[in-house]
Amino acid sequence: MRGFPTLRSMTHQRSIEDLRAEVDQINRDLLTLLSKRGEVVAQIGHAKTQEGRPNHYDPAREDKQLKEIESLNPGPFTSAAVKAIFKEIFKASLDLEESNDKKQLLV
Amino acid sequence: MRGFPTLRSMTHQRSIEDLRAEVDQINRDLLTLLSKRGEVVAQIGHAKTQEGRPNHYDPAREDKQLKEIESLNPGPFTSAAVKAIFKEIFKASLDLEESNDKKQLLV
């Protein structure tokens, strides 16, 4: 049958392509939302710096966010998986706040 | 001035609270999108298994996604930060596909 895909395999092949196109669109939407979150977090960092709060790391605030996310998680990802993703987002956000602080110090 | 916050500090305090509420809403929207992505990825995993493709890890496909994300990244996150977040999403997705495979084997 090589060279002559069955209708079944053709249907599946197209289906995977369609599903991957949907994943690509979700990736773009995730990137847009993540970037918006980055802008808001940068504003929070700026406000904290202006208030003389140099320590941007706030484990209680992170924990509160993780608890809310865990309570709302509809699946199919496990809570552990969703938390790991959000911890990576928090890490990127903290790096952003701290690098903005350094820039302000240099001005 | 302790106990009597200045208008300036009150304004900032409120502003941080407002910004945090915005972050919380973005978190919920991210969770919704991530969960939708999880559903689509689970369907891809199911289709692959039906086609007799037991190896769900596809580094070329991941690389293609990372390249598109990097090219579209508007900031403020660095490309390295955005890639680290998406790599965590890919990891969760692969775990999901593989755990679904095991469930299908048990049926």
Side-chain angles (χ1 to χ4, degrees), chain A residues 32-69:
Chain A
T32 301
L33 264 180
L34 282 170
S35 302
K36 192 177 158 195
R37 193 182 187 286
E39 297 289 354
V40 179
V41 160
Q43 288 178 57
I44 292 173
H46 187 66
K48 279 186 189 170
T49 303
Q50 282 203 315
E51 286 186 5
R53 295 158 65 181
N55 194 359
H56 293 282
Y57 178 53
D58 186 345
R61 165 73 182 147
E62 289 193 359
D63 198 51
K64 198 180 159 200
Q65 290 178 79
L66 288 177
K67 280 200 167 60
E68 198 202 11
I69 290 157

Side-chain angles (χ1 to χ4, degrees), chain B residues 6-53:
Chain B
T6 59
L7 180 62
R8 181 185 162 88
S9 73
M10 283 173 70
T11 309
H12 277 137
Q13 193 56 41
R14 208 163 42 230
S15 172
I16 287 178
E17 287 310 302
D18 283 352
L19 293 166
R20 283 185 164 176
E22 193 175 346
V23 168
D24 288 340
Q25 184 54 53
I26 294 173
N27 285 350
R28 290 188 283 270
D29 292 343
L30 282 169
L31 181 62
T32 301
L33 263 181
L34 283 170
S35 302
K36 192 176 158 197
R37 194 183 186 286
E39 297 289 355
V40 179
V41 160
Q43 288 178 57
I44 293 173
H46 187 67
K48 278 186 190 169
T49 303
Q50 283 202 316
E51 286 187 5
R53 293 159 65 181

Side-chain angles (χ1 to χ4, degrees), chain A residues 4-15:
Chain A
F4 297 92
T6 59
L7 181 61
R8 180 184 162 88
S9 73
M10 281 173 70
T11 310
H12 277 135
Q13 192 56 41
R14 208 164 41 231
S15 172

Side-chain angles (χ1 to χ4, degrees), chain A residues 56-98:
Chain A
H56 293 282
Y57 178 53
D58 186 345
R61 165 73 182 147
E62 289 193 359
D63 198 51
K64 198 180 159 200
Q65 290 178 79
L66 288 177
K67 280 200 167 60
E68 198 202 11
I69 290 157
E70 193 173 4
S71 74
L72 295 174
N73 179 23
F77 287 125
T78 62
S79 285
V82 168
K83 279 195 205 174
I85 294 166
F86 272 89
K87 279 182 185 174
E88 201 61 49
I89 295 172
F90 295 163
K91 189 175 165 291
S93 303
L94 186 62
D95 287 348
L96 189 70
E97 283 196 32
E98 289 180 343

Side-chain angles (χ1 to χ4, degrees), chain A residues 20-35, chain B residues 33 37 65 68-69 71-72 74 86:
Chain A
R20 283 185 163 176
E22 194 176 344
V23 168
D24 288 341
Q25 185 53 53
I26 295 173
N27 284 350
R28 290 188 283 269
D29 293 343
L30 282 168
L31 181 63
T32 301
L33 264 180
L34 282 170
S35 302
Chain B
L33 263 181
R37 194 183 186 286
Q65 290 178 78
E68 199 202 9
I69 290 156
S71 75
L72 295 174
F86 271 90

